[in-house]
Amino acid sequence: MKSLFRVILMARAALLAVGQTTAYTSGTFSTTGTSTTNGTGTTAYPVRIAVIGDWGANFAPYNLQQAAVAAAMARWAGNGSHPLSFVASTGDNFYNSGVKSPSDTLWTSYWQNVYLQYPSLNVPWHAVLGNHDYCGSILAPVQYNKRGWQMLGMQYVIKLPLDANHTGWFLFVDTNPCVPEYTDAPECAAQRANVAGQSCSANGAWLREQLEAAAADETASWVVVFGHHNVGSNSFTWVEQLAAQPRLRVAAVFSGHTHCLAHERQDDVDYFISGAGSRVDCDNGVPSNTCNNNNCLLNGTRGVAGFLGVEIFEDRMRTHFIDQNGLIREIIETLVPPPHGRPVTPNDWAHWFTTERVAFVSAAGALFIGAVVAFAVIVFRRRRRRNGQRMLDEQREALLDFARERRASRGESLY
């Protein structure tokens, strides 16, 4: 068993280590899954990031929406006071079955030709994988290293110097191994094979380790997490549980998967969905204008393709909900967490009662109750035995007293 566990760990370490050592103009990347993306060490505020998800559908009827979102994103990127620092992709980068290799033609037709025709989008692209990407090669997006595509591993950290004294930690996590259906009833054969050998608990341990490191970094002013599956889904619970801990100072979590733009605030953490890069339907492929998915509702953004434009300042972050026509539908403002984490609120205590902890407490309680019952039974039996012996002794003594009295009344000798 230990040997099998060691093999799994070695395989996962090799998978995470697959990356590029190519030096781009925006920084030098290592195979450790961590990168500092600005070679100068300082970045003038605001730091600007475009977040897009579920975009790789350059075929009818979604190709028109993908092209429109790309054009709107290019306009927003080019009209700001500063250029984009990077584009963050929340997964499902290539429909319907990912890419087969680093030389797959989809890199050109679905990505380069659509987005990189715009100079403002020729910046580093950092991505996570979605469930559709898991139907292809999951190593190809890590091995691909052209035109600014920089996916350092299945999970990795981008450390971006914000100014001389502050650093932004941007963590990219893989949520796919945490979806049981991808093993039990996969959408494609490759999905089961790609998930096999990976561990949801290992991914969670990695995220906790990185968040702990960010919390210990006195320069880390912003901590932001990117993943594919969104808030409320079973595969994302472990991210929510970590993000909810005030001392870890997570300001925001971005995801995709649901094909819309949405926002929800829980425990002072902002959860964003950016999954409308091309396909604008709700869950299970139902067109959004015929379904009623409340997760897709944000000031009329249900059924509208678009992306999120993020601007990070020293003390706040503004997230713009921008549709395929370039119209800003909503702006959500997030305040930077305090240096030592958010104050603990009563809601934070609720996150202590996770499924695992409840199961542990239940098992421990059952053992304790069982031990108490067993102890009570033993004590009861011992007391009953002692009481029974005492009664026998009392009865024997009473009989002897009665016999003595009878003999004494008859004048008989008592001996």
Side-chain angles (χ1 to χ4, degrees):
M1 189 66 182
K2 291 183 178 179
S3 299
L4 177 60
F5 183 68
R6 189 179 297 111
V7 169
I8 292 175
L9 287 180
M10 292 175 63
R12 180 156 185 83
L15 186 65
L16 291 175
V18 175
Q20 306 303 326
T21 57
T22 305
Y24 296 93
T25 57
S26 56
T28 301
F29 297 94
S30 67
T31 59
T32 61
T34 303
S35 171
T36 300
T37 63
N38 189 301
T40 64
T42 59
T43 300
Y45 292 111
V47 174
R48 307 177 75 235
I49 303 167
V51 183
I52 186 172
D54 302 78
W55 46 267
N58 193 19
F59 51 85
Y62 304 111
N63 56 327
L64 297 179
Q65 293 168 169
Q66 183 183 8
V69 173
M73 191 162 69
R75 289 195 299 272
W76 182 81
N79 291 336
S81 58
H82 297 82
L84 290 184
S85 291
F86 61 88
V87 174
S89 172
T90 57
D92 277 356
N93 309 306
F94 297 94
Y95 284 98
N96 284 310
S97 302
V99 290
K100 297 178 181 178
S101 69
S103 59
D104 196 312
T105 58
L106 295 184
W107 289 105
T108 301
S109 58
Y110 278 28
W111 179 57
Q112 292 186 25
N113 290 351
V114 178
Y115 302 99
L116 302 190
Q117 60 175 312
Y118 302 106
S120 61
L121 299 183
N122 279 263
V123 296
W125 281 60
H126 303 304
V128 296
L129 299 185
N131 49 298
H132 284 278
D133 300 310
Y134 258 68
C135 287
S137 168
I138 60 175
L139 290 181
V142 181
Q143 296 168 338
Y144 187 81
N145 63 349
K146 297 179 180 179
R147 303 291 299 274
W149 183 273
Q150 300 166 7
M151 184 174 171
L152 306 183
M154 301 298 290
Q155 301 197 127
Y156 56 99
V157 180
I158 299 297
K159 297 178 185 178
L160 180 66
L162 305 178
D163 57 32
N165 301 313
H166 299 97
T167 304
W169 284 56
F170 303 94
L171 294 83
F172 295 77
V173 300
D174 185 5
T175 58
N176 291 281
C178 302
V179 184
E181 290 81 1
Y182 297 166
T183 299
D184 302 333
E187 299 165 300
C188 57
Q191 201 173 60
R192 175 185 282 124
N194 285 328
V195 170
Q198 297 196 61
S199 167
C200 179
S201 60
N203 287 14
W206 178 89
L207 179 58
R208 176 180 289 277
E209 179 183 354
Q210 301 305 318
L211 291 176
E212 295 280 4
D217 183 356
E218 295 182 355
T219 71
S221 58
W222 286 96
V223 179
V224 179
V225 178
F226 298 89
H228 180 62
H229 297 87
N230 48 52
V231 61
S233 62
N234 293 334
S235 56
F236 211 63
T237 302
W238 54 282
V239 178
E240 296 174 50
Q241 291 171 354
L242 289 172
Q245 298 183 30
R247 64 183 183 82
L248 297 180
R249 304 182 65 250
V250 176
V253 178
F254 291 86
S255 61
H257 195 57
T258 301
H259 301 159
C260 62
L261 306 176
H263 167 257
E264 181 178 348
R265 180 167 290 167
Q266 295 182 6
D267 304 300
D268 295 326
V269 179
D270 283 313
Y271 293 88
F272 297 95
I273 297 178
S274 182
S278 63
R279 308 182 73 160
V280 289
D281 46 24
C282 291
D283 293 339
N284 302 320
V286 179
S288 59
N289 59 358
T290 62
C291 71
N292 183 22
N293 187 335
N294 290 330
N295 288 334
C296 291
L297 296 176
L298 182 74
N299 196 17
T301 58
R302 185 179 70 177
V304 178
F307 69 101
L308 300 181
V310 180
E311 292 184 327
I312 297 178
F313 300 84
E314 184 175 1
D315 62 342
R316 66 196 62 237
M317 179 178 76
R318 292 196 182 106
T319 302
H320 304 75
F321 287 69
I322 306 172
D323 68 17
Q324 63 191 34
N325 299 315
L327 177 64
I328 297 178
R329 297 294 193 98
E330 187 82 44
I331 300 177
I332 302 295
E333 190 166 88
T334 305
L335 298 180
V336 65
H340 300 290
R342 305 186 310 277
V344 177
T345 65
N347 288 337
D348 290 310
W349 293 107
H351 288 273
W352 189 89
F353 295 97
T354 63
T355 302
E356 294 79 6
R357 284 171 175 163
V358 169
F360 173 78
V361 171
S362 300
L367 289 175
F368 176 75
I369 293 174
V372 170
V373 171
F375 178 75
V377 169
I378 293 173
V379 170
F380 173 76
R381 288 180 176 177
R382 287 183 177 179
R383 287 186 176 179
R384 188 173 63 176
R385 190 179 299 115
R386 285 199 300 268
N387 291 338
Q389 186 63 43
R390 186 182 301 112
M391 292 179 61
L392 289 174
D393 292 341
E394 290 175 352
Q395 291 175 0
R396 184 168 58 250
E397 191 63 32
L399 288 173
L400 288 174
D401 290 342
F402 177 75
R404 292 190 189 102
E405 291 176 358
R406 289 284 300 254
R407 289 182 179 181
S409 65
R410 294 175 184 177
E412 299 176 357
S413 175
L414 298 178
Y415 304 97

